[in-house]
């Protein structure tokens, strides 16, 4: 999601390029970038729709987050923000509650396995303070009531090209390759106030794993492993070679094989039913409790009220 | 790897294969048996947007008497798919009886046949790919370059929308872009043109462009067959097409909604032929002038080419240089040519300034200096690969290397015949430094020239003014199209025409006018203008600027709204008419319009400043009203609830002391 066309803006002295430092070593825009949401399409609504997957049927695949419960998602956000909000397009903002609820919805819809949430804005750590869904690791650039600062200016372009925190993380990531065994803890250990000029925060209480075990490559450019699985179906070779000579030979029809349903990962209809039943039981108990509480409350109020009038 | 670490096969199945399709191409009967030729098409995730695999299969089979036919196909190693997919060497495919409708006469005859498969890629016998680059030095020292990549799918026909509810034929392409082909079939598009341009084409300095669609921003128009099925009606498909193209080309065409869609059939007549179907064809057209064009649009564009940007002429498409050009635009044109097939033409057009790149201020150029690349390899699948360099007649010019053939106007290089790397260069030997032409109004390169401005500083009304100059010594006509969002509404009764100062309202005839509906429908004004010889026509019309709802404003509301360009088509008597195919389903009244040369002239876009509210107003109102409510409520509450009592004060104590 890119709200501004920085690369091809006519005020950019280097067309089609976005550089993260004044030395212009790395071109972030490159030769074959693809942008899925740009310009006015970058809105809070679209962002939440991408996360939660609530889309119109005609929205193309490239504009969807096609993840499931085995996907690790990295969410990086940057921009102008403040205490529990981040601005989108200068006229609307997303709050920490919005993101937390969207992540919870994703969890309930089994849209992620783990989320690594990184945010670089002023008072960034407030943005992840409202998360309540499991398996989320969050890090931000600055504490509440603290600013995040930019790293350096490019005098040819005339603007600050990168933020201090992002620059620092990028420096660390440049040393990581696909087979790296570096863990998240190592990344967080490199945070240094003297370099970043703000206090980056980490929230790992929702994250189920030890940070020393969580590899950076679990979220960034991991190697896709080729895993050979046993074949799904066995193709029987024909019992007898086809006999083309006898047109009158009656051959019993080969039974149509239904799709193999004994794979371990598939829930059988019974299991599905049980899990749904448990779910509905739990829901029923919950609503019963809620009604009970409301009843007690009404009773108490009535009691107090009647005492008063007497 | 331990067995427990393996992913369950069903997971792989759903993860990797997005779509699979089996079709029966044809069959050869042998008495009561038959050999069927099947094709299996698999789309894999993780191989880019258009990764797909097509396998051929010969299958000897029997048919059960039920409608569902099921068979297992075994894949040996699929070429081109890496080890990641090795697990998927066996799969199950199901073809329904729909794809077997040709086989029904053989039902009931038992076939007992044997399975043999090979995973070879289908080689295209009926697809042609041509690539061409035209380079044209312009008189202001710039260089116009036009890339054109044409793929012809011979014998193909567009999909009839009546068949949308049925299963489609399988699509097997070698050179034809599959990602685009799928969209065209899915939404039954007969003809489609998408252009994404940045900058303003200067007709006065550069003449007519080689590709006519040069309107600023995004423009999409499509001819689609109409049908009566509500789930697949033309507006649904138009919306789907917009969204699909937005996804494919990373553009924000999704916002080209009904508020910007019109059907200007006079100006955008089909460039190919329209098949004769039961229902007629309809046009949908929309423009989005504020669209940016950048690397993310070029990336998917290059992926549609058979050689990507690895070899051939497409290797010159270097985003860092193209987006530095003074004008650049890309286009995708799909049309159906009767008796030939479906043609997809991908074009890229740029106007670069060699004088700006040159240290000495000369206009000499070479492929290396303009694109920062040379042609190192030929694209092996290209049927023809040509570079044509326009040779200006007036100067002493040297072109290196020697062209393959030379005509008075063009030097042509056939890329396959030249030595590599090919770096064509053109030098003006006698010119020490390029002198910009001093003539402010040089001899016109186009038949007419157009200026369009929006006058008036008010935020509620204004005046649209169009100035059209006829450069020819004869009377000509031109069509005039305004397809305006409801952000600007015309007062058509105030339309006035002045020809060289004199009022001449007879020179315009309005052909169609569809008034706007605020918040939903744009204006469409199509007119025919008559231009006397060497005259200047002034056309003025009062316009009003409506108020927008608070939520309809863009994030940068103070910048204003870009309005789409007006489009003119000059009709020059004696000009070579457009070749016209008789096998079209167009009504006879429109046949004469097909004779128009498709030389469109786009006016520059306009920026309209609409009344914007103070966006902090709601907060001010809330704060203000809360304060007022608090004040009023507080005092009223006080008055109502406070008891006013006379307090008796002890007279003795409080009584003033007698002064001493």
């Amino acid at each position: 999601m890119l709200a501004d066309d920085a690369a091809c803006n006519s005020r950019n002295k280097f067309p089609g390029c976005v550089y993260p430092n004044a030395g212009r070593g790395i071109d972030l825009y490159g030769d074959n970038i693809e942008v899925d949401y740009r310009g006015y399409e970058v809105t809070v609504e679209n962002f939440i729709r991408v996360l939660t997957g609530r889309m119109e049927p005609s929205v193309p695949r490239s504009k969807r987050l096609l993840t499931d419960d085995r996907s690790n998602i990295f969410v990086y956000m940057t921009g102008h923000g403040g205490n529990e909000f981040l601005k989108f397009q200068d006229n609307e903002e997303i709050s920490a509650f919005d993101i937390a609820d969207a992540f919870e919805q994703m969890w309930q819809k089994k849209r992620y396995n783990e989320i690594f949430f990184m945010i670089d804005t002023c008072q960034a750590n407030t943005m992840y303070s409202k998360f309540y869904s499991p398996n989320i690791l969050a890090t931000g650039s600055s504490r509440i009531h603290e600013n995040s600062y930019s790293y350096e200016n490019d005098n040819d372009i005339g603007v600050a090209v990168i933020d201090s925190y992002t620059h620092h993380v990028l420096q660390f990531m440049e040393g990581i390759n696909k087979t790296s065994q570096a863990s998240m803890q190592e990344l967080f250990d490199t945070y240094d106030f003297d370099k970043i000029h703000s206090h980056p925060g980490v929230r790992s209480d929702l994250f189920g794993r030890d940070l020393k075990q969580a590899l950076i490559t679990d979220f960034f450019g991991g190697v896709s492993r080729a895993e050979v699985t046993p074949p799904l179906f066995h193709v029987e070779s024909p019992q007898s070679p086809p006999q083309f000579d006898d047109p009158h030979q009656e051959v019993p029809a080969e039974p149509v094989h239904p799709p193999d349903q004994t794979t371990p990962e598939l829930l059988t209809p019974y299991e599905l039913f049980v899990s749904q039943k448990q779910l509905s039981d739990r829901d029923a108990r919950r609503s019963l409790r809620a009604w009970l509480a409301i009843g007690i409350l009404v009773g108490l109020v009535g009691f107090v009220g009647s005492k008063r009038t007497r | 790897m331990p067995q427990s670490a393996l992913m369950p096969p069903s997971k792989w199945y759903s993860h990797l294969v997005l779509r699979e399709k089996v079709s029966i191409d044809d069959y050869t009967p042998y008495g009561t048996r038959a050999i069927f030729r099947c094709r299996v098409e698999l789309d894999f995730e993780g191989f880019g947007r258009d990764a797909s695999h097509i396998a051929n299969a010969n299958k000897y089979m029997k048919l059960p008497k039920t409608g569902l036919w099921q068979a297992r196909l075994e894949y040996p190693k699929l070429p081109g798919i890496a080890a990641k997919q090795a697990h998927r060497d066996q799969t199950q495919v199901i073809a329904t009886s729909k794809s077997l409708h040709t086989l029904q006469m053989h039902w009931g005859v038992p076939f007992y046949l044997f399975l043999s498969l090979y995973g070879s890629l289908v080689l295209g016998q009926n697809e042609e790919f041509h690539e061409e680059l035209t380079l044209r030095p312009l008189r202001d020292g710039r260089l116009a370059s036009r890339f054109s990549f044409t793929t012809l799918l011979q014998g193909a026909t567009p999909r009839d929308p009546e068949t949308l509810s049925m299963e489609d034929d399988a699509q097997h392409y070698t050179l034809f872009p599959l990602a685009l082909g799928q969209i065209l079939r899915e939404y039954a598009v007969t003809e489609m043109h998408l252009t994404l341009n940045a900058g303003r084409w200067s007709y006065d300095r550069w003449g007519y462009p080689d590709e006519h669609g040069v309107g600023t921003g995004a423009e999409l128009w499509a001819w689609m067959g109409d049908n009566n099925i509500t789930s697949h009606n033309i507006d649904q498909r138009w919306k789907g097409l917009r969204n699909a193209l937005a996804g494919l080309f990373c553009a924000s065409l999704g916002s080209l909604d009904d508020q910007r869609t019109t059907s200007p059939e006079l100006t955008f007549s089909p460039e190919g032929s329209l098949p004769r179907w039961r229902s007629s064809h309809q046009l949908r057209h929309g423009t989005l002038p504020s669209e940016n064009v950048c690397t993310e649009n070029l990336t998917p564009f290059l992926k549609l080419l058979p050689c990507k940007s690895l070899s051939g002429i497409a290797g010159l498409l270097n985003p860092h240089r193209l987006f530095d050009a003074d004008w650049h635009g890309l286009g995708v044109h799909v049309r159906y040519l009767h008796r030939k097939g479906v043609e997809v033409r991908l074009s890229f057009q740029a106007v670069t300034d060699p004088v700006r790149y040159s240290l000495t201020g000369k206009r000499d150029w070479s492929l290396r200096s303009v694109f920062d690349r040379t042609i190192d390899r030929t694209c092996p699948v290209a049927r023809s690969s040509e570079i044509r360099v326009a040779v200006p007649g007036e100067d002493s010019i040297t072109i290196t290397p020697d062209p393959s053939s030379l005509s008075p106007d063009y030097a042509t290089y056939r890329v396959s015949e030249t030595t590599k790397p090919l770096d064509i260069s053109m030098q003006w030997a006698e010119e020490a430094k390029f002198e910009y032409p001093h003539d402010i109004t040089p001899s016109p390169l186009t038949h007419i020239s157009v200026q369009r401005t929006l006058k008036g500083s008010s935020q509620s009304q204004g005046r649209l003014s169009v100035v059209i100059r006829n450069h020819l010594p004869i009377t000509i006509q031109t069509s005039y199209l305004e397809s305006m969002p409801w952000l600007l509404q015309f007062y058509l009764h105030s339309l006035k025409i002045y020809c060289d100062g004199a009022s001449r309202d007879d020179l315009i005839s309005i052909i169609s006018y569809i008034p706007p509906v605020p918040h939903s429908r744009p204006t469409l004004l199509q007119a025919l203008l008559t231009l006397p010889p060497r005259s200047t026509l002034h056309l003025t019309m009062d316009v009003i600027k409506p108020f927008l709802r608070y939520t309809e404003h863009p994030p940068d509301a103070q910048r204003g709204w870009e309005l789409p360009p007006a489009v003119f088509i000059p009709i020059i008597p004696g000009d070579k008419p457009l070749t016209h195919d008789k096998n079209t389903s167009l009504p006879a009244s429109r046949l004469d319009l097909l004779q128009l040369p498709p030389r469109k002239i786009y006016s520059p876009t306009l920026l309209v400043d609409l009344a914007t509210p103070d966006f902090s107003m709601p907060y001010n109102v809330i704060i203000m009203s809360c304060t007022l409510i608090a004040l009023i409520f507080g005092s009223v509450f006080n008055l109502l609830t406070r008891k006013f009592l006379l307090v008796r004060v002890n007279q003795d104590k409080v009584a003033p002391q007698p002064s001493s």
Side-chain angles (χ1 to χ4, degrees), chain A residues 8 17 27 29 31 33-35 38 40 56 58 60 62 68 227 229 233 236 244 251 254 256-257, chain B residues 5 7 15 33 49 62 70 72 90 112 239 243 247 250 291-292 294 296-297 299 303 320 324 556:
Chain A
C8 288
C17 302
D27 177 15
Y29 224 66
D31 282 347
I33 192 173
E34 292 188 4
V35 179
R38 61 176 198 174
Y40 296 154
E56 269 192 65
S58 64
S62 66
D68 62 5
E227 298 179 27
T229 57
F233 306 104
E236 305 112 87
F244 287 96
V251 177
E254 195 181 309
V256 175
H257 290 266
Chain B
M7 278 231 202
H15 266 242
R33 298 160 293 268
R49 283 166 196 243
K62 66 180 179 59
Q70 199 168 357
R72 290 188 300 274
Q90 287 180 0
Y112 201 77
K239 183 183 173 193
N243 279 332
C250 296
E291 183 75 2
N292 299 317
C294 202
E296 64 262 24
N297 303 114
T299 309
K303 282 188 182 170
H320 299 290
D324 192 23
D556 49 353

Side-chain angles (χ1 to χ4, degrees), chain A residues 7 39 88 193:
Chain A
F88 267 58
F193 178 79

Side-chain angles (χ1 to χ4, degrees), chain A residues 152-165:
Chain A
E152 62 181 344
N153 268 315
D154 187 330
N155 291 332
D156 281 341
I157 301 172
V159 290
V161 285
I162 195 165
D163 290 339
S164 201
Y165 172 77

